[in-house]
Amino acid sequence: MLYGGVSGADPTAGGAAKHDTDVTHVNGRTNVRQMGETKQMSVVDYLVLGDEPHLEANACTSCGALFFDRRNACAKCGKQSFEKRALSNSGIVRSYTIIHRAAPNVAVPYVSSVIELDGGGVVKGNLLEAGSDPEKIELGMKVKMTTFGCGVDEEGTEAVAFGFVPA
Amino acid sequence: MADNIWIIGATMTKFGRYPDKDSVDLASETALGALADAGATIGDMQSLSVGCLLEASNMLGQHLQKQIGQTGIPVFNVANACATGATAVRTAMLSIKAGEADMALAVGVEQMGKMGLLGPAGRERAKPTGFERSGRYGTVMPVEGVLGTQLMPGVFAQAGMEYASHHDGVGFEQFAKVAEKNHAHSTLNPLAQYQKAFSLEEVMGATMIAYPNTLLMCCPTGDGSAAVVLCSDKKLKTLDPDVRRRAVKISASVLTSDPYVESDTGQPDVSTLTKQAAKTAYEQAGVGPADLDLVELHDCFATAELIHYENLSLCEPGGAGDFIDRRGPWRDGQTPVNVSGGLISKGHPIGATGVANLYEVATHLRGEAGDRQIEGAKVGLTHVIGLGSACAVHILEKAAS
Ligand SMILES: [Zn+2]
C-alpha cells in the first residue's frame, strides 16, 4: 500500500481499558463487549477483547506461519488450512520511529513501533508511556500489550485499540 | 553474449513542478528526446512501455502514442509502485528478448503536483459514523496513528532503526550524513529538482518528520519524465557508428518481489528482495561490487539509502555506518552513490525514477555527464524498490569498442 489511512483519533489518549467489570461476551470471539452502558468493539478483528484482551493470529496448520488478515492461503507454504492462535501479550521493541508529522487529527509526536511477541508474531502498534525522546527509547526493550479507547461512533460504540507499554 | 540488449537513446526532463504540463506532455518530451538521441523515429519502434503509477489504468501509453505517433505497435501500461519505471524498461527488454521487437521505447513519467509528503493520507478525514468491520483486517475505522504508522516516512524510518538495532555505530548522525551527501551531489546536476547544499547540522536540525528522518532526509514529490530506447545486438550492428559508439550495454536486469519473512506482519522487508536482486544481477553481469564506478540507488529516505549499502554489498556486512562515516559513497569516495543527488534532492516523480537512474548511469558511461561526470566510468548499477514490494536492479556497462 502506498499510502495508508488516517486516524480520527488521538493515539496517545486514553490508558488501558478496564477489564474488571461487567463483561458480556456479545459474540463468540468477544471482539465486541458491553461495559456497563458502553458497547465496545475492537478496532481490528485480530484484537480479541473480553477478560484478557490479546491478539489472535490465523496460524497455518502446516508450517505455523502467522497472519493477522483474512486468508486465502499461506504466503509461506501455499497450504489452505488455518487455526486461530492466541499470541503473547509481551515482547520486545524490534524497531520504532517517532512520528512528528501526521494528518491534522492525529496527535503528534507519537511513537510507532514494531514489536516481536514472545513465542512468535510480529506486530505494529503505538509505543505508549515511553515518551518521545529517542535517547530514552531502547531498541530491544521489553514491552507488554495494553488497550485503549480510540474513538466513539455516533451511536456511542467505543472502538478499542491495542498498544504497548514498557514492561 | 549474442543476445545483449543496448540502450541507444536516453533522456530525462529536469525534475520539478510543471503545473502547466500534463503527463502526456512530459512523456512526449522525453520519448521524442530519446528517439532523437538514438537517431531513430517512432516508426522504428516495435514495442512501447509506459510506466506511470497514478495513471497506468488510464491508457496513458496510448494517449502518448496519439501525440508522438500511432503506429499500431503493442503498448504496455505499467504500474509497480516505485519500481514502475524500471519495470517498464524491463517490459521493453522482454519484448526484444522474446523476439517480438528489435527496437523498443520505454518511458517513465509522473505528474504528482504538490500532493505533500504524506500523500492523500495527510489530509483530515471525516469523523466516524457507525462502526462496521471492513477489509481484510476487519477494521472499524482508519488506524493510521492508532496502530502505528504505515506512511512512507515512518515505515522507512523503522527500516533504518531496525538496522541500527543490530549494528553499533549506526544512528541519527549516520542517516543524516547520507542526506548531506546527496544534497551536496545535486549542486552539480542541473536536472535535479533541488540544487542546494546543506551542512550536517542543517540536515539534523531540520523539521523532524519521522525520527530519524528530518525533512531534508525525505525525497520531495514532483513531476518529470525519463525515457530510453533499447535495441538488440543484431540491430545495433546495423546502426550508425556514432550510435554504436554511444551505446550502453544492459549487462543485468533483475526484478524481484519480497519472499515470505515472519516480520512481514509488522513491517515491510525492503532488504531481502534487494539482496536477492543484487546477487542475481552481479551473477548475470559477471561483475562484483568492487567493479562499480557509480551506483544510483533508491534513497526515498536517508534511512533507506544507508541499509541499501549493505543490501547491494557496497560495504561489509554491518559496515554501512562506517561506510558513510569514511565518505565511501561520496563522489570522490570508494563507490560513488547517487551522484545525481538521488531521490532526496534530484526528486522522485514515481514512474520516472527507475528510468531516470538508467539515464544517469548511461550518461556517465557515455562520458557526457558534464560537471558531475565520474571520470572513466565503465560500469554502473541502478536500484529501485517499491513497497509492496518490487525491486529492480540493472547493471550497465560502457561499450567495449
Ligand atoms: Zn504455511
Side-chain angles (χ1 to χ4, degrees):
Chain A
M1 179 180 300
L2 183 63
Y3 297 111
V6 180
S7 157
D10 172 356
T12 59
K18 293 188 185 72
H19 309 133
D20 50 355
T21 53
D22 193 22
V23 176
T24 307
H25 294 180
V26 177
N27 72 7
R29 295 193 43 244
T30 67
N31 53 10
V32 176
R33 69 180 174 184
Q34 197 75 35
M35 296 282 286
E37 294 295 300
T38 311
K39 185 183 169 194
Q40 294 187 321
M41 265 178 106
S42 61
V43 72
V44 283
D45 246 344
Y46 58 93
L47 170 63
V48 178
L49 301 178
D51 295 338
E52 286 174 24
H54 63 275
L55 301 180
E56 184 183 73
N58 290 314
C60 174
T61 56
S62 298
C63 75
L66 303 173
F67 303 94
F68 293 114
D69 58 346
R70 171 159 55 84
R71 298 307 301 177
N72 299 93
C74 176
K76 186 179 182 186
C77 76
K79 298 281 178 17
Q80 291 167 268
S81 165
F82 294 89
E83 62 191 6
K84 297 289 180 191
R85 182 176 302 168
L87 303 182
S88 169
N89 281 351
S90 59
I92 59 159
V93 175
R94 185 186 167 100
S95 187
Y96 75 91
T97 177
I98 306 161
I99 302 294
H100 289 261
R101 183 176 293 185
N105 47 356
V106 174
V108 290
Y110 75 92
V111 182
S112 169
S113 62
V114 182
I115 306 297
E116 204 168 296
L117 297 171
D118 297 341
V122 179
V123 68
K124 185 163 54 72
N126 289 354
L127 184 60
L128 308 166
E129 299 172 24
S132 56
D133 176 0
E135 300 290 318
K136 294 186 177 136
I137 301 172
E138 234 179 290
L139 288 161
M141 73 193 250
K142 290 192 164 119
V143 293
K144 60 180 198 295
M145 199 191 85
T146 185
T147 56
F148 61 94
C150 61
V152 177
D153 72 6
E154 58 191 11
E155 288 151 19
T157 300
E158 182 181 43
V160 178
F162 66 89
F164 295 88
V165 295
Chain B
M1 256 170 46
D3 59 349
N4 283 323
I5 292 177
W6 301 81
I7 296 176
I8 55 169
T11 190
M12 69 177 278
T13 64
K14 177 179 159 61
F15 285 175
R17 312 269 181 215
Y18 295 96
D20 301 329
K21 292 182 177 178
D22 63 16
S23 47
V24 176
D25 291 321
L26 295 169
S28 296
E29 186 179 330
T30 59
L32 294 170
L35 289 168
D37 187 42
T41 68
I42 190 67
D44 297 320
M45 301 298 117
Q46 285 115 26
S47 177
L48 170 64
S49 299
V50 176
C52 183
L53 186 61
L54 302 175
E55 295 174 61
S57 60
N58 199 25
M59 302 295 269
L60 184 63
Q62 282 80 349
H63 287 296
L64 171 63
Q65 280 186 305
K66 289 180 174 74
Q67 297 303 320
I68 67 169
Q70 287 175 258
T71 55
I73 58 174
V75 175
F76 300 93
N77 291 291
V78 176
N80 215 4
C82 298
T84 290
T87 307
V89 173
R90 238 182 148 266
T91 307
M93 279 187 72
L94 293 176
S95 294
I96 295 174
K97 277 197 186 269
E100 279 202 358
D102 57 19
M103 291 180 96
L105 172 63
V107 185
V109 64
E110 212 75 59
Q111 168 61 268
M112 299 173 76
K114 287 194 155 188
M115 64 161 41
L117 190 58
L118 305 180
R123 293 174 214 128
E124 189 152 13
R125 293 240 182 112
K127 285 268 189 290
T129 51
F131 288 144
E132 214 175 303
R133 296 200 182 277
S134 68
R136 303 196 73 92
Y137 295 90
T139 313
V140 303
M141 59 183 277
V143 293
E144 173 65 22
V146 175
L147 301 178
T149 186
Q150 57 180 346
L151 301 184
M152 297 299 109
V155 165
F156 279 96
Q158 285 173 174
M161 291 299 281
E162 185 175 333
Y163 186 83
S165 80
H166 295 127
H167 303 293
D168 290 338
V170 177
F172 185 20
E173 187 175 321
Q174 281 66 42
F175 295 125
K177 283 178 177 174
V178 168
E180 177 199 12
K181 168 183 70 75
N182 291 355
H183 286 293
H185 284 171
S186 74
T187 61
L188 299 174
N189 185 1
L191 299 174
Q193 185 163 346
Y194 299 107
Q195 294 152 38
K196 187 171 187 304
F198 296 92
S199 69
L200 183 60
E201 292 67 31
E202 286 172 313
V203 172
M204 295 178 79
T207 304
M208 186 58 75
I209 303 296
Y211 178 89
N213 286 324
T214 67
L215 186 61
L216 290 173
M217 297 160 73
C218 302
C219 67
T221 59
D223 315 328
S225 178
V228 291
V229 175
L230 308 181
C231 79
S232 66
D233 235 17
K234 199 171 154 208
K235 182 71 181 180
L236 184 70
K237 291 191 174 73
T238 70
L239 300 177
D240 285 348
D242 204 43
V243 174
R244 297 207 301 269
R245 181 183 60 76
R246 294 173 70 242
V248 169
K249 186 170 83 176
I250 302 179
S251 302
S253 172
V254 181
L255 182 66
T256 57
S257 58
D258 41 353
Y260 170 86
V261 294
E262 189 196 352
S263 58
D264 283 342
T265 49
Q267 161 83 6
D269 170 21
V270 299
S271 290
T272 308
L273 79 169
T274 296
K275 285 177 180 168
Q276 291 192 349
K279 182 170 180 287
T280 308
Y282 289 132
E283 283 166 10
Q284 260 183 28
V287 305
D291 300 317
L292 301 175
D293 297 304
L294 75 158
V295 170
E296 289 285 307
L297 65 74
H298 204 73
D299 60 322
C300 45
F301 299 91
T303 45
E305 174 163 327
L306 192 101
I307 63 180
H308 292 317
Y309 295 153
E310 174 162 339
N311 293 336
L312 298 174
S313 297
L314 306 182
C315 65
E316 296 295 313
D322 177 59
F323 187 57
I324 186 72
D325 280 341
R326 62 185 165 84
R327 298 171 68 91
W330 282 73
R331 52 175 294 119
D332 55 355
Q334 179 188 313
T335 308
V337 175
N338 289 332
V339 297
S340 66
L343 280 57
I344 285 176
S345 195
K346 180 176 71 174
H348 183 26
I350 299 173
T353 294
V355 187
N357 63 15
L358 290 169
Y359 163 83
E360 180 68 17
V361 170
T363 302
H364 285 269
L365 300 182
R366 287 167 153 187
E368 298 171 0
D371 289 345
R372 70 185 188 286
Q373 176 70 38
I374 296 296
E375 286 307 324
K378 290 188 172 58
V379 186
L381 179 148
T382 67
H383 159 259
V384 287
I385 179 171
L387 268 199
S389 299
C391 174
V393 170
H394 286 89
I395 294 176
L396 304 185
E397 286 185 76
K398 188 183 172 72
S401 67

